[in-house]
């Protein structure tokens, strides 16, 4: 059975350089690539911004925050994980998706404290 597949690209340089898309929809499943924040600030602000960018990809395919089934938060070592947790709760509230939060050694963009991924089901 051949599945329906759509790609969402934002035109960012990293997408072209590394050969990936911001998100891919296959049937009802949407997978959003690692998304760094565009804005700088503390970890809470960066987490909110990164998830808002990731949610734009879900919205592109006709979904919303209610469709998010799983999230992943990658934090720079030593970051305030509570700030990221507060941002997650603020955005997802009652939806309570499955979540994994990890500390990593660092990120490619300078000044980034957090990167997020998410999966959604339409």
């Amino acid at each position: 059975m051949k599945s329906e597949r759509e790609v969402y690209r934002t035109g960012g340089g990293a997408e072209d350089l590394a050969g990936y898309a911001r998100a891919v929809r296959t049937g009802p499943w949407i997978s959003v690539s690692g998304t760094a924040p565009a804005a700088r600030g503390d970890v809470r602000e960066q987490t909110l911004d990164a998830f808002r960018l990731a949610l734009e990809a879900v919205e592109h395919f006709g979904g919303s925050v209610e469709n998010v089934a799983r999230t992943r938060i990658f934090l720079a070592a030593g970051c305030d994980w509570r700030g990221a947790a507060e941002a997650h709760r603020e955005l997802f509230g009652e939806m309570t998706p499955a979540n994994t939060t990890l500390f990593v050694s660092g990120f490619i963009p300078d000044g980034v404290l957090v990167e997020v991924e998410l999966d959604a089901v339409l």
Side-chain angles (χ1 to χ4, degrees):
M1 170 190 239
K2 188 173 182 179
S3 64
E4 182 182 335
R5 184 176 192 276
E6 289 182 65
V7 173
Y8 172 67
R9 296 178 55 93
T10 61
E15 289 177 353
D16 291 335
L17 179 68
Y20 71 91
R22 169 65 45 220
V24 174
R25 184 184 68 78
T26 305
W29 293 94
I30 300 168
S31 297
V32 180
S33 295
T35 302
R40 297 299 182 256
D42 66 21
V43 71
R44 182 183 170 282
E45 293 168 320
Q46 287 194 24
T47 303
L48 286 169
D49 189 52
F51 271 125
R52 286 183 182 132
L53 292 170
L55 286 168
E56 285 178 10
V58 173
E59 292 166 0
H60 170 82
F61 294 118
S64 68
V65 68
E66 288 84 15
N67 298 104
V68 175
R70 180 173 187 75
T71 59
R72 291 170 200 84
I73 302 172
F74 302 93
L75 297 167
C79 273
D80 171 25
W81 66 268
R82 291 181 199 279
E86 289 171 10
H88 189 275
R89 184 181 62 237
E90 181 178 328
L91 285 171
F92 296 101
E94 298 289 321
M95 301 316 303
T96 60
N99 171 262
T100 301
T101 301
L102 303 166
F103 283 112
V104 298
S105 64
F107 299 100
I108 294 170
D110 290 331
V112 169
L113 302 174
V114 62
E115 189 169 299
V116 303
E117 296 178 348
L118 61 80
D119 297 307
V121 184
L122 297 178

